[in-house]
Amino acid sequence: MKGKLVFPAILLLLYVTAIQLNRWSLLILCLALLVKLATWADKSLAYLSMLLIAVSTIQIVSKQDVQLFPELSEVPYVIEVKQTSWKVDGNQLRFQGTVLEEEPKRKIIVNYTIASQDEKKELESKPSSMIVTNGRFKKPFEATNKNLFNYKDYLNKQNVRQILQADFITEVNSLPKVYHRTYFFDSVRMKALKYCDAVFNPITSLYIRALLFADRSALSEEVIQAFRNLGLMHLLSISGLHISLLLSGLNKAALKLRVTRENSILIQIVFLAFYAVFTGLGVSVYRASVQHGVKSVYAIKERFIHTLDCWSIALLSLLFISPVVIFSVGFQLSFLLSFLIIMLSGQPFFNSLKQVQQYAVLNVLLFITSIPVLSFHFFEFSLGALLFNSIYIPFISLILLPGLIMLFILSPFILNTAIFQMFDQLIGELIRMMENVTYSIESTASLVFVSGRLNTTVMIIWGIVLVLLLLNLEKRFSRRTICIYMVLFCLLAFSNRITPFGEIVIIDVGQGDAILIKEPFSRDVTLIDTGGLVSWRELEEWERKENQYSLGSHILAPFVKSMGIKKIDTVLITHLHYDHYGELANMAEIIPVVNIAGTIETLGDSAFHEQLNRMDMEDTVLQVIDQSTGFSLSNRLVGLKDSLKDQDNINNQSIVLLGKYGKLVWMFTGDIESEREAQIQRDYPNLKTDVLKVAHHGSASSTTAEFVEHTKPDYALISAGRNNRYNHPQDEVLLRLKENSVETFRTDYHGSIHYKFSDYRLLDEWVNIYRQKFWTNSSRGDYE
């Protein structure tokens, strides 16, 4: 490795990762590498590494030790607004800001509920630069389900620790001096975005904002989803490619204007610094700007610096500024893929290939390298990245992006002329053509591969195999060897589907039920109920958000994908209550469902048909469950008969299931109450269970002492919403379980509840030794 700073950069990266994750094994490895560096290479590099580690430790500790605001203050706060974050959606206003009275200044998120349609129009008209407000501070919530979006971590990466729920918003006309302002460059950026909206036609403006100013907020969800499904989302973001094109344009302009080489480089450095800040200091822009900037400084002095050292300086400086950035997908992809490109560009075997071969090899290697990162953050990746990069990249880099840059730069000089209108219209038509082609491809071909989040062991093996592949590329080995490597990568990508372990998860859906059962080797996937948010008031049209939050699309579907599940074989609806079936349609829009099972009372109800009418039922079968006798839902899941037939109480009509997973016998009870529990005791006098899914969210009308004594469970699982209005689970139910020595887990307290098992005895025993029988998403935070 030719770069001198690469080793300290990678060492610091490992160290920061270790200290953030609290992994002692990684810290010991870093110490060993530091000792090795001191004896193997120039000792100055070891001293530099020690200094970097010390500074990064101070950075991490200082950013973790944050004094919190009081929950409520009688004194209003004066807040400088980050204008590009100002977003009015339905009856909600949200923005990021800095409280001016505090020293040091603290960044916060402000949420405000808009009272009327007139107030909404006023807030939409223009973002304020400074506001006065008051309200209640609260901590951002943590993820309550494994693998899902963690809002607290997301805000921590932006050095934001609290959210203010504002009672009022009052604009302030006076502004502090420029050098006291936190968001001065952001306000200038906001003016540029407004200029785009005012001058260019709408579709051209959207892409100038996205590709020149790193603002994708105005792009439609349909466009973003189409590009994501084809693996082309990176083309809608500013990257090193954009920086190279802009610098190339500056260099050509300097040559025509006969600017000296030194002055041309200085202009490029100043431009890079300004442009990086102006576009919001995104990771890719920062990396490319620092790399080009360092290279330019050395060029002025007519000295050589290796590109790997420029990459290392960008990495080191970014970790100084924000150590937690290592967890962002932008950082991981930008630095990982750029490192691979730099390494390959210096290899003789790569340079000896023809240009087409170079492009093919590079495209495949970048795709393979990105898969672990994409699977970790998005649980899926698109094969379209392999197929369509060769079409889209030339179009965007050679035609669309240069056209947008020229149009924007020339617009002040040719505005209101026929040439400007024609140019603007032409660019708009090219964009529409690109979007139409994208929609067409995305609708006709399913290119998304659901991998789930690959576990740590699989990622380590993936990295080892990738390194071996790169090391052997120089040998020009046979096609057979290449095929072996590709098969290994395919097996690793399928690891979540071909695992010999199954899993049962009580998903935290608030006040409702949703239980996922995934059998070993993904032979069968069953979802018992879907949860459902009950709306207590019908919102007016102006109050509704553009993309309304739903459990189905924001919790259930992502969670199912995170386990590597591409379709659900059976969704069983236990009974006709909205908190058990209300998210079926929202989830099915993302995750295909093969069978929907339920009683005739459920499947034939008009309210339930509203869910079915919103679904594409072409490949979905309705399965009617007859509870008059026992029935079989799958190879290991059976239903208990209902001889009570309570027509007045829907809860007692719940389907009750029994199944054996691993060594444990499970009972899933829906919302049955004491009468149905007594009927089960009479009809099944010898019924014993190991795990009881407590009925009706822990209501006192269920889980009688007699029923607990009859079934004799060792574990009780309760699905209930935090601080719910019904006070579930109720104290007397918890007391009954405790008196019978039943270990209890609750979603309102623990978050999602997990049980892993295997059909192979040794593997099942191993997994129970490796972790407790039940484990929870214990990172649950206190939130309201």
Side-chain angles (χ1 to χ4, degrees):
M1 212 176 278
K2 297 181 179 179
K4 293 183 179 180
L5 295 175
V6 177
F7 201 100
I10 295 176
L11 180 59
L12 180 62
L13 183 61
L14 284 172
Y15 173 79
V16 172
T17 304
I19 200 170
Q20 292 282 1
L21 295 176
N22 196 24
R23 295 289 173 86
W24 288 101
S25 56
L26 267 180
L27 286 171
I28 293 171
L29 175 63
C30 291
L31 179 62
L33 290 174
L34 189 62
V35 173
K36 181 67 177 176
L37 184 63
T39 58
W40 167 70
D42 188 345
K43 288 189 178 181
S44 62
L45 292 182
Y47 295 142
L48 173 63
S49 299
M50 292 173 65
L51 177 62
L52 298 176
I53 285 173
V55 174
S56 64
T57 303
I58 294 170
Q59 285 279 351
I60 293 169
V61 172
S62 66
K63 291 196 175 188
Q64 288 177 343
D65 184 21
V66 177
Q67 182 181 356
L68 298 176
F69 288 105
E71 280 199 352
L72 190 63
S73 173
E74 296 180 358
V75 180
Y77 293 100
V78 179
I79 298 175
E80 182 187 354
V81 178
K82 184 179 181 181
Q83 291 181 288
T84 55
S85 69
W86 183 280
K87 183 173 179 59
V88 176
D89 190 5
N91 65 347
Q92 296 294 315
L93 166 66
R94 181 183 180 278
F95 62 87
Q96 182 178 321
T98 301
V99 181
L100 294 185
E101 288 93 341
E102 296 289 330
E103 287 296 338
K105 295 177 182 179
R106 306 287 177 82
K107 294 180 181 179
I108 63 171
I109 295 292
V110 178
N111 290 332
Y112 173 66
T113 301
I114 302 169
S116 66
Q117 192 168 3
D118 290 337
E119 185 183 20
K120 178 179 179 179
K121 290 179 181 177
E122 183 180 343
L123 292 172
E124 282 179 326
S125 61
K126 63 172 185 176
S128 303
S129 299
M130 196 78 61
I131 59 109
V132 172
T133 187
N134 204 347
R136 187 167 180 267
F137 279 102
K138 54 185 180 181
K139 299 176 185 178
F141 65 81
E142 295 186 59
T144 64
N145 290 289
K146 177 190 172 187
N147 297 335
L148 296 194
F149 177 71
N150 193 317
Y151 192 46
K152 181 179 179 181
D153 285 350
Y154 170 76
L155 293 182
N156 280 345
K157 291 166 189 172
Q158 303 176 54
N159 200 28
V160 176
R161 294 297 188 272
Q162 284 189 305
I163 300 171
L164 173 64
Q165 185 60 49
D167 295 329
F168 63 89
I169 297 286
T170 303
E171 186 174 4
V172 178
N173 293 324
S174 60
L175 289 171
K177 294 179 181 179
V178 170
Y179 53 83
H180 284 156
R181 293 183 63 183
T182 306
Y183 303 117
F184 170 73
F185 283 101
D186 185 78
S187 63
V188 177
R189 183 171 175 234
M190 190 67 196
K191 291 177 181 177
L193 297 179
K194 287 182 177 180
Y195 173 80
C196 293
D197 292 338
V199 170
F200 307 106
N201 75 59
I203 193 167
T204 306
S205 173
L206 291 177
Y207 280 83
I208 290 178
R209 290 172 61 131
L211 297 179
L212 297 189
F213 298 106
D215 178 57
R216 294 204 308 256
S217 62
L219 287 174
S220 70
E221 187 64 28
E222 186 182 15
V223 169
I224 291 174
Q225 192 60 47
F227 273 84
R228 181 178 290 123
N229 288 344
L230 295 184
L232 302 172
M233 267 301 293
H234 59 284
L235 299 180
L236 297 182
S237 307
I238 295 179
S239 64
L241 173 67
H242 299 68
I243 301 297
S244 298
L245 284 172
L246 289 169
L247 290 180
S248 176
L250 278 176
N251 192 42
K252 289 178 181 178
L255 286 174
K256 288 191 176 183
L257 294 173
R258 297 183 179 179
V259 178
T260 63
R261 177 175 173 274
E262 290 76 11
N263 288 337
S264 176
I265 293 174
L266 285 174
I267 291 171
Q268 290 181 27
I269 293 172
V270 173
F271 169 78
L272 285 171
F274 176 79
Y275 187 69
V277 175
F278 193 65
T279 53
L281 274 178
V283 172
S284 293
V285 178
Y286 179 88
R287 177 193 58 76
S289 299
V290 171
Q291 282 186 222
H292 283 285
V294 171
K295 200 84 172 176
S296 299
V297 169
Y298 270 75
I300 290 176
K301 296 183 178 181
E302 296 184 350
R303 295 178 62 186
F304 173 78
I305 182 171
H306 198 278
T307 308
L308 276 175
D309 282 332
C310 298
W311 178 90
S312 301
I313 290 170
L315 175 64
L316 293 169
S317 59
L318 187 56
L319 288 178
F320 277 165
I321 297 169
S322 178
V324 293
V325 76
I326 60 172
F327 296 115
S328 70
V329 62
F331 173 88
Q332 293 166 8
L333 286 176
S334 180
F335 278 93
L336 184 62
L337 300 185
S338 60
F339 179 79
L340 181 62
I341 292 170
I342 294 169
M343 289 294 293
L344 282 176
S345 64
Q347 300 300 318
F349 86 90
F350 184 76
N351 294 325
S352 67
L353 297 175
K354 295 179 181 179
Q355 192 168 1
V356 175
Q357 292 175 321
Q358 284 184 353
Y359 182 82
V361 170
L362 181 61
N363 199 24
V364 170
L365 289 175
L366 290 177
F367 176 71
I368 292 172
T369 305
S370 66
I371 287 175
V373 177
L374 296 174
S375 75
F376 183 86
H377 292 279
F378 306 115
F379 321 130
E380 61 187 13
F381 56 88
S382 176
L383 300 173
L386 276 175
L387 302 173
F388 302 115
N389 267 335
S390 57
I391 300 172
Y392 278 79
I393 289 179
F395 173 77
I396 290 178
S397 61
L398 300 178
I399 299 174
L400 183 59
L401 186 56
L404 292 174
I405 294 172
M406 288 179 60
L407 182 63
F408 180 79
I409 293 174
L410 295 176
S411 60
F413 308 103
I414 62 173
L415 193 61
N416 298 324
T417 65
I419 294 176
F420 174 80
Q421 297 296 331
M422 183 180 67
F423 198 3
D424 190 9
Q425 191 68 28
L426 176 61
I427 294 292
E429 289 302 318
L430 288 173
I431 293 172
R432 288 188 184 90
M433 180 190 72
M434 179 183 70
E435 287 188 348
N436 290 335
V437 170
T438 304
Y439 293 146
S440 178
I441 297 172
E442 191 261 344
S443 62
T444 55
S446 179
L447 298 170
V448 176
F449 180 87
V450 178
S451 62
R453 176 170 287 183
L454 304 181
N455 64 44
T456 305
T457 303
V458 172
M459 287 195 176
I460 291 172
I461 296 173
W462 190 290
I464 292 171
V465 174
L466 179 60
V467 170
L468 291 175
L469 173 62
L470 293 172
L471 290 175
N472 283 281
L473 272 176
E474 290 183 274
K475 299 178 181 178
R476 296 182 178 274
F477 47 81
S478 65
R479 293 180 181 178
R480 180 181 176 183
T481 310
I482 294 176
C483 290
I484 291 173
Y485 275 102
M486 294 303 108
V487 168
L488 286 174
F489 285 123
C490 287
L491 289 174
L492 293 173
F494 274 95
S495 59
N496 278 318
R497 297 191 195 177
I498 60 177
T499 174
F501 296 104
E503 193 164 349
I504 301 177
V505 185
I506 313 297
I507 306 171
D508 181 14
V509 290
Q511 188 64 15
D513 271 10
I515 304 163
L516 184 70
I517 304 174
K518 177 189 177 186
E519 297 207 8
F521 302 103
S522 302
R523 285 191 297 256
D524 189 79
V525 178
T526 302
L527 180 67
I528 304 173
D529 292 327
T530 67
L533 290 177
V534 179
S535 178
W536 302 107
R537 181 177 72 86
E538 186 67 27
L539 297 177
E540 295 182 28
E541 186 63 32
W542 69 270
E543 294 179 289
R544 294 173 185 163
K545 293 184 178 181
E546 290 181 13
N547 298 303
Q548 194 69 29
Y549 171 84
S550 74
L551 289 171
S553 56
H554 292 83
I555 300 294
L556 285 180
F559 181 81
V560 169
K561 281 187 176 182
S562 76
M563 295 182 68
I565 298 169
K566 67 174 183 177
K567 66 180 177 63
I568 297 176
D569 296 295
T570 303
V571 173
L572 174 78
I573 305 300
T574 57
H575 64 291
L576 194 62
H577 275 161
Y578 194 81
D579 62 330
H580 289 255
Y581 74 82
E583 296 299 326
L584 174 61
N586 290 326
M587 183 200 67
E589 287 179 359
I590 303 171
I591 304 292
V593 176
V594 179
N595 296 296
I596 299 174
T599 62
I600 188 64
E601 290 81 9
T602 297
L603 299 183
D605 187 83
S606 59
F608 186 75
H609 268 271
E610 290 181 8
Q611 295 283 320
L612 300 180
N613 291 336
R614 291 168 51 198
M615 296 171 54
D616 180 5
M617 297 293 293
E618 184 178 351
D619 299 318
T620 303
V621 177
L622 294 180
Q623 180 182 350
V624 178
I625 298 296
D626 182 5
Q627 292 198 89
S628 60
T629 60
F631 62 93
S632 177
L633 189 68
S634 67
N635 291 333
R636 68 172 94 214
L637 197 60
V638 298
L640 304 186
K641 67 180 179 181
D642 175 15
S643 59
L644 182 65
K645 298 180 181 178
D646 188 347
Q647 300 299 319
D648 299 323
N649 189 337
I650 294 178
N651 286 332
N652 278 333
Q653 296 172 14
S654 296
I655 295 172
V656 179
L657 299 167
L658 202 68
K660 186 174 182 181
Y661 298 93
K663 291 183 177 180
L664 304 184
V665 176
W666 289 63
M667 179 182 280
F668 305 97
T669 55
D671 276 358
I672 62 172
E673 298 186 358
S674 56
E675 298 86 359
R676 181 76 186 282
E677 290 178 346
Q679 170 260 312
I680 292 174
Q681 290 173 240
R682 291 191 300 270
D683 291 346
Y684 300 92
N686 299 317
L687 179 63
K688 296 293 182 289
T689 65
D690 297 300
V691 185
L692 175 67
K693 201 292 292 183
V694 173
H696 204 184
H697 322 294
S699 167
S701 61
S702 308
T703 321
T704 62
E706 295 79 11
F707 187 69
V708 176
E709 290 171 4
H710 181 81
T711 54
K712 298 188 183 321
D714 295 318
Y715 305 96
L717 313 179
I718 303 174
S719 180
R722 193 176 180 100
N723 299 325
N724 64 83
R725 64 200 302 262
Y726 307 102
N727 198 31
H728 292 160
Q730 292 176 343
D731 292 339
E732 52 195 287
V733 172
L734 297 174
L735 182 60
R736 289 173 203 160
L737 295 169
K738 184 177 181 181
E739 288 174 346
N740 284 274
S741 302
V742 182
E743 189 174 358
T744 303
F745 297 90
R746 306 159 41 178
T747 59
D748 63 324
Y749 185 78
H750 298 102
S752 58
I753 306 164
H754 300 251
Y755 169 75
K756 208 163 194 175
F757 66 96
S758 176
D759 292 334
Y760 301 101
R761 183 176 60 85
L762 291 178
L763 287 178
D764 192 63
E765 290 177 357
W766 176 81
V767 77
N768 285 325
I769 293 171
Y770 177 70
R771 59 156 58 106
Q772 295 179 340
K773 278 190 173 64
F774 290 91
W775 54 282
T776 63
N777 199 64
S778 57
S779 63
R780 169 138 214 176
D782 295 324
Y783 72 92
E784 299 176 352

